[in-house]
Amino acid sequence: MLTMAWSWIPIALVALVVLKTLLWKTNTKNLPPGPRGLPIFGNLFVLGKRPQRDLHRLAQTYGSIMYLRLGFVPTIVVSSPQGAELFLKTNDLNFASRPQLQVVKILTYEHKNIAFAQYGSYWRTMRQICNLELLSNHKINSFKPMRKEELDLLIEYIKEAARDRVAVDLSAKVSALSASMTCSMIFGKKYMDKNLDGRGFKAVVKEAIKLIGAPNFADYIPQIASLDLQGLTKHAKAVLKVLDPFFETIIDEHIQLKDENRNKDFVDVLLGFMGSQETDYRIEREHIKAIILDMFFAAMISAANVVEWTLSELIRHPQSMKKLQKEVEEKVGLERMVEESDLESLEYLDMVFKETLRLHPVAPLLFRESIEDCTVNGFYIPKKSRVIINVWAIGRDPTAWTEVEKFFPERFIGSGIDMYGNDFQLLPFGSGRRRCPGMHLGLIVVKSLVAQLVHCFDWELPNYMLPTELDMTEEFSLVTPRVEPLLAIPTYRLHS
Ligand code: HEM
């Protein structure tokens, strides 16, 4: 049976080439410049292990608005601040949708989440609910005692490691803290790694994110999607089999406790919408699971990623570390720990984050999809084109930055550049309608964590490794974590 299916592939592919080549000719007018592609596959093979770097290299030849054909999908790659502004601000509405990917479809119960939902009333309503019930200033403040409790636990753990002079796996510890805070915020209580199939949150979420980021032939040549040649669909179904029972348990527990006299958490609020009917959708259990998954993934992965890279850069650059410690010492002293209310006065800390996110954006590539045919900068952009904003390349654009590879937080002194999507040379949270809604929460978490870790401890690398020897290789998936975990030996530096 399987052999028969395979024998049809060459015939089907030849037919497709002929058909698509004919159709293609009508659409090639005035497209942005780009490399010639192979029949059927187009430019799919230009994407290697680190697509942000491959696309950056190609843009040096073809320009900052470049056209690629990935399989049969017209794709526009944007690699400059000016280009990003045209797509994310001037024409934001037309590029406010997301491409629908096979693996995402499985993991998100057919795109019922926010991050990959198509632009429309479902996306708008769900985003509003999350903004109001999880991400508003009022809600963020209400989680403050929980964040402090979690941070105190981490500091106590590291103090013990400092007493014993042992290295701490900062990558693992920061991920665990992030998972713990995220569970408490979203599900109303902590869950342990064993609740997720024994493998734990970090491993499962990392696996899912890697699957989403992997270039999938099925997304570019939909005619062969059902063959699942790379096995990604099968793999995604296996990951969902681990996540789904976890979300089911959480929903069941909330339903059972519904009538009890307790504060409502985010899941309770979502359950309150179950059964509500709109013109084009009705909120069911799967919608709730997809939203929980979205918030859980976004909050857990991004915060851990930012902290990991910030600490890595600070450890690699002892002068910046000393300068930051001095700033915190001047504002807070050595008698107490940093409070969230101190964060606003820490200007150098802000610059350290901007510089880390310029070099290591959590999402190196932003994905959008055009809703209608349109013209941008004189180029014809067909409807349903995939748009990739190469944030990683923009952070290295020599027309926007000097000494692009250098970690130099001082470059932001007096620059007025913000990181909230208003300045297109720095887009760590994206921009426009699909900009990150968790930005303020994310920044509070990462800033207080880093401020605390550098204020309470000095850090040195294990095995007499020099700061310059720290391996900074990044892995590519939807986000870009470090390949090697960050290990460092702490020395406690506060007086109390
Ligand atoms: C420092 C931490 C964070 C960083 C760097 C970050 C970064 C990003 C980026 C780059 C995007 C894509 C924006 C675009 O396409 O223009 C995004 C989207 C999103 N983020 Fe975050 N994020 C962070 C924290 C959070 C948190 C804490 C949450 C929620 C609890 C969250 C929820 C979301 C959601 C739901 C989207 C999809 C928005 C949409 O498509 O409408 N993020 N984030």
Side-chain angles (χ1 to χ4, degrees), residues 24 27-28 30-48 50-79 87 215 219-220 365-368 370 379-390:
W24 205 252
N27 275 344
T28 46
N30 234 7
L31 291 166
R36 276 182 76 86
L38 297 169
I40 301 180
F41 298 102
N43 310 105
L44 255 184
F45 298 115
V46 303
L47 302 178
R50 295 187 176 81
Q52 72 275 32
R53 290 177 189 260
D54 304 322
L55 295 174
H56 180 43
R57 220 171 296 121
L58 269 184
Q60 317 286 322
T61 309
Y62 296 100
S64 66
I65 301 182
M66 173 172 72
Y67 177 81
L68 298 179
R69 183 168 59 78
L70 300 182
F72 295 124
V73 179
T75 304
I76 313 295
V77 183
V78 183
S79 312
F87 284 84
D219 292 325
Y220 303 106
L365 305 174
L366 303 179
F367 292 92
R368 302 293 174 90
S370 57
F379 296 125
Y380 168 65
I381 313 288
K383 177 177 173 170
K384 282 207 162 285
S385 292
R386 190 154 303 174
V387 176
I388 301 177
I389 311 285
N390 193 343

Coordinates of all heavy atoms in Angstrom, one line a residue, residues 24 27-28 30-48 50-79 87 215 219-220 365-368 370 379-390:
W24 N 2.7 30.5 -12.3 CA 3.7 31.3 -11.7 C 4.0 32.5 -12.6 O 4.1 33.6 -12.2 CB 5.0 30.5 -11.5 CG 5.8 31.1 -10.5 CD1 7.0 31.7 -10.6 CD2 5.5 31.1 -9.1 NE1 7.4 32.1 -9.4 CE2 6.5 31.7 -8.4 CE3 4.4 30.6 -8.3 CZ2 6.5 31.9 -7.1 CZ3 4.4 30.7 -6.9 CH2 5.5 31.4 -6.3
N27 N 2.4 35.8 -12.2 CA 2.5 36.6 -10.9 C 3.9 37.1 -10.7 O 4.2 37.6 -9.7 CB 2.2 35.6 -9.8 CG 0.7 35.6 -9.5 OD1 0.0 36.5 -10.0 ND2 0.3 34.6 -8.8
T28 N 4.8 37.0 -11.7 CA 6.2 37.4 -11.4 C 6.5 38.8 -11.6 O 7.6 39.3 -11.4 CB 7.2 36.5 -12.3 OG1 6.7 36.5 -13.6 CG2 7.3 35.1 -11.8
N30 N 7.2 42.5 -11.1 CA 7.5 43.4 -10.1 C 7.7 42.8 -8.7 O 7.5 43.6 -7.7 CB 6.5 44.5 -10.0 CG 7.1 45.9 -10.1 OD1 8.3 45.9 -10.4 ND2 6.4 46.9 -9.9
L31 N 8.0 41.6 -8.6 CA 8.2 41.0 -7.3 C 9.6 41.5 -6.8 O 10.4 41.9 -7.6 CB 8.3 39.5 -7.4 CG 7.0 38.8 -7.7 CD1 7.2 37.3 -8.1 CD2 6.1 38.8 -6.5
P32 N 9.8 41.5 -5.5 CA 11.2 41.9 -5.0 C 12.2 41.0 -5.5 O 11.9 39.9 -5.9 CB 11.0 41.8 -3.5 CG 9.6 41.8 -3.2 CD 8.9 41.2 -4.4
P33 N 13.5 41.5 -5.6 CA 14.5 40.6 -6.1 C 14.8 39.4 -5.2 O 14.6 39.5 -4.0 CB 15.8 41.5 -6.1 CG 15.5 42.6 -5.2 CD 14.0 42.8 -5.2
G34 N 15.3 38.3 -5.8 CA 15.6 37.1 -5.0 C 16.3 36.1 -5.9 O 16.4 36.2 -7.1
P35 N 16.9 35.1 -5.2 CA 17.6 34.1 -6.0 C 16.7 33.2 -6.8 O 15.5 33.0 -6.4 CB 18.3 33.2 -4.9 CG 17.5 33.5 -3.7 CD 16.8 34.8 -3.8
R36 N 17.2 32.6 -7.9 CA 16.3 31.7 -8.7 C 16.2 30.4 -7.9 O 17.1 30.0 -7.2 CB 17.1 31.3 -10.0 CG 16.8 32.3 -11.1 CD 17.6 31.9 -12.4 NE 16.8 30.8 -13.0 CZ 15.8 31.0 -13.9 NH1 15.5 32.2 -14.2 NH2 15.2 29.9 -14.4
G37 N 15.1 29.8 -8.1 CA 14.8 28.6 -7.3 C 14.8 27.3 -8.2 O 14.7 27.4 -9.4
L38 N 14.8 26.2 -7.5 CA 14.7 24.9 -8.2 C 13.2 24.7 -8.6 O 12.3 25.2 -7.9 CB 15.1 23.7 -7.3 CG 16.6 23.8 -6.9 CD1 16.8 22.7 -5.8 CD2 17.5 23.5 -8.1
P39 N 12.9 23.8 -9.6 CA 11.5 23.4 -9.8 C 10.9 22.8 -8.5 O 11.7 22.2 -7.8 CB 11.6 22.4 -10.9 CG 12.9 22.5 -11.5 CD 13.8 23.1 -10.5
I40 N 9.7 23.1 -8.3 CA 9.0 22.6 -7.1 C 9.5 23.1 -5.8 O 8.8 23.8 -5.1 CB 8.9 21.0 -7.0 CG1 8.3 20.5 -8.3 CG2 8.1 20.6 -5.8 CD1 8.1 19.0 -8.3
F41 N 10.7 22.8 -5.5 CA 11.3 23.2 -4.1 C 11.6 24.7 -4.0 O 11.6 25.2 -2.9 CB 12.5 22.4 -3.8 CG 12.3 20.9 -3.8 CD1 12.6 20.1 -4.8 CD2 11.6 20.3 -2.7 CE1 12.3 18.7 -4.8 CE2 11.3 19.0 -2.6 CZ 11.7 18.2 -3.7
G42 N 11.7 25.3 -5.1 CA 12.1 26.7 -5.1 C 13.4 27.0 -4.3 O 14.4 26.3 -4.6
N43 N 13.3 27.8 -3.3 CA 14.5 28.2 -2.6 C 14.5 27.5 -1.2 O 15.2 27.9 -0.3 CB 14.6 29.7 -2.3 CG 14.4 30.5 -3.6 OD1 13.4 31.1 -3.8 ND2 15.5 30.4 -4.5
L44 N 13.7 26.4 -1.1 CA 13.6 25.7 0.2 C 15.0 25.4 0.8 O 15.2 25.5 2.0 CB 12.8 24.5 0.1 CG 11.4 24.5 0.6 CD1 10.7 23.1 0.5 CD2 11.3 24.9 2.0
F45 N 15.9 25.0 -0.1 CA 17.2 24.5 0.5 C 18.2 25.6 0.9 O 19.3 25.3 1.4 CB 17.9 23.5 -0.5 CG 17.0 22.3 -0.8 CD1 16.4 22.1 -2.1 CD2 16.7 21.4 0.2 CE1 15.6 21.0 -2.3 CE2 15.8 20.4 0.0 CZ 15.3 20.2 -1.3
V46 N 17.8 26.8 0.8 CA 18.7 27.9 1.3 C 18.6 27.9 2.8 O 19.4 28.5 3.5 CB 18.4 29.3 0.7 CG1 18.5 29.3 -0.8 CG2 17.0 29.8 1.2
L47 N 17.5 27.3 3.4 CA 17.3 27.4 4.8 C 18.1 26.2 5.5 O 17.7 25.0 5.3 CB 15.8 27.2 5.2 CG 14.9 28.3 4.6 CD1 13.5 28.1 5.0 CD2 15.4 29.7 5.1
G48 N 19.1 26.6 6.2 CA 20.0 25.5 6.8 C 19.6 25.4 8.3 O 18.4 25.6 8.7
R50 N 20.5 27.3 10.8 CA 20.2 28.6 11.4 C 19.6 29.5 10.4 O 20.4 30.4 9.9 CB 21.4 29.1 12.1 CG 21.9 28.2 13.2 CD 23.0 28.8 14.1 NE 23.3 27.8 15.2 CZ 24.0 26.7 15.0 NH1 24.5 26.4 13.9 NH2 24.2 25.9 16.1
P51 N 18.3 29.4 10.1 CA 17.8 30.2 8.9 C 18.0 31.7 9.1 O 18.1 32.4 8.0 CB 16.3 29.8 9.0 CG 16.2 28.6 9.8 CD 17.3 28.6 10.7
Q52 N 18.0 32.2 10.3 CA 18.1 33.7 10.4 C 19.5 34.1 9.8 O 19.6 35.2 9.2 CB 18.0 34.1 11.9 CG 19.1 33.8 12.9 CD 19.0 32.4 13.5 OE1 18.5 31.5 12.8 NE2 19.4 32.2 14.7
R53 N 20.5 33.3 10.0 CA 21.8 33.6 9.4 C 21.8 33.4 7.9 O 22.4 34.2 7.2 CB 22.9 32.7 10.1 CG 23.2 33.1 11.5 CD 24.2 32.1 12.1 NE 24.3 32.4 13.6 CZ 25.2 33.1 14.2 NH1 26.2 33.6 13.4 NH2 25.2 33.2 15.5
D54 N 21.2 32.3 7.4 CA 21.2 32.0 6.0 C 20.4 33.2 5.3 O 20.9 33.6 4.2 CB 20.4 30.7 5.7 CG 21.1 29.6 6.5 OD1 22.3 29.5 6.6 OD2 20.3 28.7 7.0
L55 N 19.3 33.6 5.8 CA 18.5 34.7 5.2 C 19.3 36.0 5.2 O 19.2 36.8 4.3 CB 17.2 34.8 5.9 CG 16.3 33.6 5.7 CD1 15.0 33.8 6.5 CD2 15.9 33.4 4.2
H56 N 20.0 36.2 6.3 CA 20.8 37.5 6.5 C 21.9 37.5 5.4 O 22.1 38.5 4.7 CB 21.5 37.4 7.9 CG 22.3 38.6 8.2 ND1 22.0 39.9 7.9 CD2 23.6 38.7 8.8 CE1 22.9 40.7 8.3 NE2 23.9 40.0 8.8
R57 N 22.5 36.4 5.1 CA 23.6 36.3 4.1 C 23.0 36.6 2.7 O 23.5 37.4 2.0 CB 24.2 34.9 4.2 CG 25.7 34.9 4.0 CD 26.3 33.5 4.2 NE 26.1 33.0 5.6 CZ 25.5 31.9 5.9 NH1 24.9 31.1 5.0 NH2 25.4 31.5 7.2
L58 N 21.8 36.0 2.4 CA 21.2 36.2 1.1 C 20.8 37.6 0.9 O 20.9 38.2 -0.2 CB 20.0 35.3 1.0 CG 20.1 33.9 0.4 CD1 18.7 33.3 0.3 CD2 20.7 33.9 -0.9
A59 N 20.4 38.3 2.0 CA 19.9 39.7 1.9 C 21.1 40.6 1.5 O 20.8 41.6 0.9 CB 19.3 40.1 3.2
Q60 N 22.3 40.2 1.8 CA 23.5 41.0 1.4 C 23.5 41.1 -0.1 O 23.9 42.1 -0.6 CB 24.8 40.4 1.9 CG 24.9 39.8 3.3 CD 24.9 40.9 4.3 OE1 25.5 41.9 4.1 NE2 24.2 40.7 5.4
T61 N 23.1 40.1 -0.8 CA 23.1 40.1 -2.3 C 21.8 40.7 -2.8 O 21.8 41.5 -3.8 CB 23.2 38.6 -2.8 OG1 24.3 38.0 -2.2 CG2 23.4 38.6 -4.3
Y62 N 20.6 40.3 -2.3 CA 19.4 40.6 -2.9 C 18.6 41.8 -2.3 O 17.6 42.3 -2.9 CB 18.5 39.4 -3.0 CG 19.1 38.3 -3.8 CD1 19.7 37.3 -3.3 CD2 19.0 38.4 -5.2 CE1 20.3 36.3 -4.0 CE2 19.6 37.4 -6.0 CZ 20.3 36.4 -5.4 OH 20.9 35.4 -6.2
G63 N 19.1 42.3 -1.2 CA 18.5 43.5 -0.6 C 17.6 43.2 0.6 O 17.3 42.1 0.9
S64 N 17.2 44.3 1.2 CA 16.5 44.2 2.5 C 15.0 43.8 2.3 O 14.3 43.5 3.3 CB 16.6 45.4 3.3 OG 15.9 46.5 2.7
I65 N 14.5 43.9 1.1 CA 13.1 43.3 0.9 C 13.4 42.3 -0.3 O 13.6 42.6 -1.4 CB 12.1 44.3 0.5 CG1 11.9 45.4 1.6 CG2 10.7 43.6 0.2 CD1 10.9 46.4 1.3
M66 N 13.3 41.0 0.1 CA 13.8 40.0 -0.8 C 12.7 39.0 -1.1 O 11.8 38.7 -0.2 CB 15.0 39.3 -0.1 CG 15.5 38.1 -0.8 SD 17.1 37.6 0.0 CE 16.5 36.9 1.6
Y67 N 12.7 38.4 -2.3 CA 11.6 37.4 -2.6 C 12.2 36.0 -2.7 O 13.2 35.8 -3.4 CB 11.0 37.8 -3.9 CG 10.0 36.8 -4.4 CD1 8.7 36.9 -3.9 CD2 10.3 35.8 -5.3 CE1 7.7 36.0 -4.3 CE2 9.3 34.9 -5.7 CZ 8.0 35.0 -5.2 OH 7.1 34.1 -5.6
L68 N 11.6 35.1 -2.0 CA 12.0 33.7 -2.1 C 10.7 32.9 -2.5 O 9.6 33.3 -2.1 CB 12.5 33.1 -0.8 CG 13.8 33.7 -0.2 CD1 14.1 33.0 1.1 CD2 15.0 33.6 -1.2
R69 N 10.9 31.8 -3.2 CA 9.8 30.9 -3.3 C 10.1 29.6 -2.5 O 11.0 28.9 -2.9 CB 9.6 30.6 -4.8 CG 8.4 29.7 -5.1 CD 8.0 29.6 -6.5 NE 9.1 29.1 -7.4 CZ 9.4 27.8 -7.5 NH1 8.7 26.9 -6.8 NH2 10.4 27.5 -8.3
L70 N 9.4 29.4 -1.4 CA 9.7 28.3 -0.6 C 8.6 27.2 -1.0 O 7.4 27.4 -0.7 CB 9.6 28.6 0.9 CG 10.6 29.7 1.4 CD1 10.4 29.9 2.9 CD2 12.0 29.2 1.0
G71 N 9.0 26.2 -1.8 CA 8.1 25.3 -2.4 C 7.2 26.1 -3.3 O 7.6 26.8 -4.2
F72 N 5.9 26.1 -3.0 CA 4.9 26.9 -3.8 C 4.5 28.2 -3.0 O 3.5 28.8 -3.5 CB 3.7 26.1 -4.2 CG 4.1 24.9 -5.1 CD1 3.8 23.6 -4.8 CD2 4.8 25.2 -6.3 CE1 4.2 22.6 -5.6 CE2 5.2 24.2 -7.1 CZ 4.8 22.9 -6.8
V73 N 5.1 28.5 -1.9 CA 4.7 29.6 -1.1 C 5.5 30.8 -1.4 O 6.7 30.9 -1.2 CB 4.7 29.3 0.4 CG1 4.3 30.5 1.2 CG2 3.9 28.0 0.7
P74 N 4.9 31.9 -1.9 CA 5.7 33.2 -2.1 C 6.0 33.7 -0.8 O 5.2 33.8 0.1 CB 4.7 34.1 -2.8 CG 3.3 33.5 -2.7 CD 3.5 32.0 -2.3
T75 N 7.3 34.0 -0.6 CA 7.8 34.5 0.7 C 8.6 35.7 0.6 O 9.5 35.8 -0.3 CB 8.7 33.3 1.3 OG1 7.9 32.1 1.3 CG2 9.2 33.7 2.7
I76 N 8.3 36.7 1.4 CA 9.0 38.0 1.4 C 9.9 38.0 2.7 O 9.4 37.8 3.8 CB 8.1 39.2 1.4 CG1 6.9 39.0 0.4 CG2 8.8 40.5 1.3 CD1 7.4 39.0 -1.0
V77 N 11.2 38.3 2.5 CA 12.0 38.4 3.7 C 12.5 39.8 3.9 O 13.0 40.4 3.0 CB 13.3 37.5 3.5 CG1 14.1 37.5 4.8 CG2 12.8 36.0 3.2
V78 N 12.3 40.3 5.1 CA 12.5 41.7 5.4 C 13.7 41.8 6.3 O 13.6 41.2 7.4 CB 11.3 42.4 5.9 CG1 11.5 43.9 6.2 CG2 10.1 42.2 5.0
S79 N 14.8 42.6 6.0 CA 16.0 42.6 6.8 C 16.5 43.9 7.2 O 17.7 44.1 7.6 CB 17.1 41.8 6.1 OG 16.6 40.6 5.6
F87 N 6.2 47.1 6.6 CA 5.3 45.9 6.8 C 4.5 45.9 8.1 O 3.4 45.5 8.2 CB 6.1 44.6 6.7 CG 6.5 44.3 5.2 CD1 7.6 44.8 4.6 CD2 5.6 43.4 4.5 CE1 7.9 44.6 3.3 CE2 5.9 43.2 3.2 CZ 7.1 43.7 2.6
P215 N 11.7 23.8 9.5 CA 11.1 23.9 8.1 C 10.4 22.6 7.7 O 11.1 21.6 7.7 CB 12.3 24.3 7.2 CG 13.4 24.7 8.2 CD 13.1 24.0 9.5
D219 N 4.4 22.3 4.7 CA 3.9 23.7 4.6 C 4.1 24.4 3.3 O 3.5 25.3 3.0 CB 4.5 24.5 5.8 CG 4.1 24.0 7.1 OD1 3.0 23.6 7.3 OD2 5.0 24.1 8.0
Y220 N 5.1 23.9 2.6 CA 5.5 24.6 1.4 C 5.0 23.9 0.1 O 4.9 24.5 -1.0 CB 7.0 24.8 1.4 CG 7.5 25.5 2.6 CD1 8.1 24.9 3.6 CD2 7.2 26.9 2.7 CE1 8.5 25.6 4.8 CE2 7.6 27.6 3.8 CZ 8.2 26.9 4.9 OH 8.6 27.6 6.0
L365 N 13.0 35.3 14.0 CA 12.2 35.6 12.8 C 10.7 35.8 13.2 O 10.2 35.0 13.9 CB 12.3 34.4 11.8 CG 13.7 33.9 11.4 CD1 13.6 32.7 10.6 CD2 14.4 35.0 10.6
L366 N 10.1 36.9 12.7 CA 8.7 37.0 13.0 C 7.9 36.6 11.7 O 8.4 36.9 10.6 CB 8.3 38.5 13.2 CG 9.1 39.2 14.3 CD1 8.6 40.7 14.4 CD2 8.8 38.6 15.7
F367 N 6.8 35.9 11.9 CA 6.1 35.3 10.7 C 4.8 36.0 10.6 O 4.0 36.1 11.6 CB 5.9 33.8 10.9 CG 7.1 33.1 10.8 CD1 7.9 32.7 12.0 CD2 7.6 32.7 9.6 CE1 9.1 32.0 11.9 CE2 8.8 32.0 9.5 CZ 9.5 31.6 10.6
R368 N 4.5 36.5 9.4 CA 3.2 37.1 9.1 C 2.7 36.6 7.8 O 3.5 36.0 7.0 CB 3.3 38.7 9.0 CG 3.8 39.3 10.2 CD 2.8 39.2 11.4 NE 3.4 39.8 12.6 CZ 3.3 41.1 13.0 NH1 2.6 41.9 12.2 NH2 3.8 41.5 14.1
S370 N 0.2 37.9 4.3 CA -0.6 39.0 3.7 C -2.0 38.6 3.5 O -2.3 37.4 3.0 CB 0.1 39.4 2.3 OG 0.1 38.3 1.5
F379 N 7.0 47.2 -4.8 CA 7.0 45.7 -5.1 C 5.6 45.1 -4.9 O 4.9 45.5 -4.0 CB 8.0 45.0 -4.1 CG 9.4 45.4 -4.3 CD1 10.1 45.8 -3.2 CD2 10.1 45.3 -5.5 CE1 11.5 46.1 -3.3 CE2 11.4 45.6 -5.6 CZ 12.1 46.1 -4.5
Y380 N 5.3 44.2 -5.8 CA 4.1 43.5 -5.8 C 4.2 42.4 -4.7 O 5.1 41.6 -4.8 CB 3.7 43.0 -7.2 CG 2.6 42.0 -7.2 CD1 1.3 42.4 -6.9 CD2 2.8 40.7 -7.6 CE1 0.2 41.5 -6.9 CE2 1.7 39.8 -7.6 CZ 0.5 40.2 -7.3 OH -0.6 39.3 -7.3
I381 N 3.2 42.4 -3.8 CA 3.2 41.3 -2.8 C 1.9 40.6 -2.9 O 0.8 41.1 -2.6 CB 3.3 41.9 -1.3 CG1 4.4 42.9 -1.2 CG2 3.5 40.7 -0.3 CD1 5.8 42.5 -1.2
P382 N 2.0 39.3 -3.4 CA 0.7 38.6 -3.6 C 0.0 38.3 -2.3 O 0.6 38.1 -1.3 CB 1.1 37.3 -4.3 CG 2.6 37.4 -4.6 CD 3.1 38.5 -3.8
K383 N -1.3 38.1 -2.4 CA -2.1 37.7 -1.3 C -1.6 36.3 -0.8 O -1.1 35.5 -1.6 CB -3.6 37.5 -1.8 CG -4.6 36.9 -0.9 CD -5.9 36.9 -1.6 CE -6.9 36.2 -0.7 NZ -8.3 36.3 -1.2
K384 N -1.7 36.1 0.5 CA -1.2 34.9 1.2 C 0.3 34.6 1.0 O 0.8 33.5 1.1 CB -2.0 33.6 0.7 CG -3.4 33.6 1.3 CD -3.9 32.1 1.4 CE -5.1 31.9 2.4 NZ -4.7 31.9 3.7
S385 N 1.0 35.7 0.8 CA 2.5 35.5 0.9 C 2.9 35.4 2.3 O 2.3 36.0 3.2 CB 3.2 36.8 0.4 OG 3.0 37.0 -1.0
R386 N 3.9 34.6 2.5 CA 4.5 34.5 3.9 C 5.5 35.7 4.0 O 6.3 35.9 3.1 CB 5.2 33.2 4.0 CG 5.6 32.9 5.4 CD 5.7 31.4 5.6 NE 4.4 30.8 5.3 CZ 4.3 29.5 5.3 NH1 5.2 28.7 5.5 NH2 3.1 29.0 5.0
V387 N 5.4 36.4 5.1 CA 6.4 37.5 5.4 C 7.2 37.1 6.6 O 6.7 36.7 7.6 CB 5.6 38.8 5.6 CG1 6.6 39.9 5.9 CG2 4.8 39.2 4.4
I388 N 8.5 37.2 6.3 CA 9.4 36.8 7.5 C 10.2 38.1 7.8 O 11.0 38.6 6.9 CB 10.4 35.7 7.1 CG1 9.7 34.4 6.7 CG2 11.4 35.4 8.2 CD1 10.6 33.3 6.2
I389 N 10.0 38.6 9.0 CA 10.8 39.8 9.4 C 12.1 39.2 10.1 O 11.9 38.6 11.2 CB 10.0 40.7 10.4 CG1 8.6 41.0 9.8 CG2 10.8 42.0 10.7 CD1 8.6 42.0 8.7
N390 N 13.2 39.5 9.6 CA 14.4 38.9 10.2 C 15.0 39.9 11.3 O 15.8 40.7 11.0 CB 15.5 38.6 9.1 CG 16.6 37.8 9.6 OD1 16.8 37.6 10.9 ND2 17.4 37.2 8.7

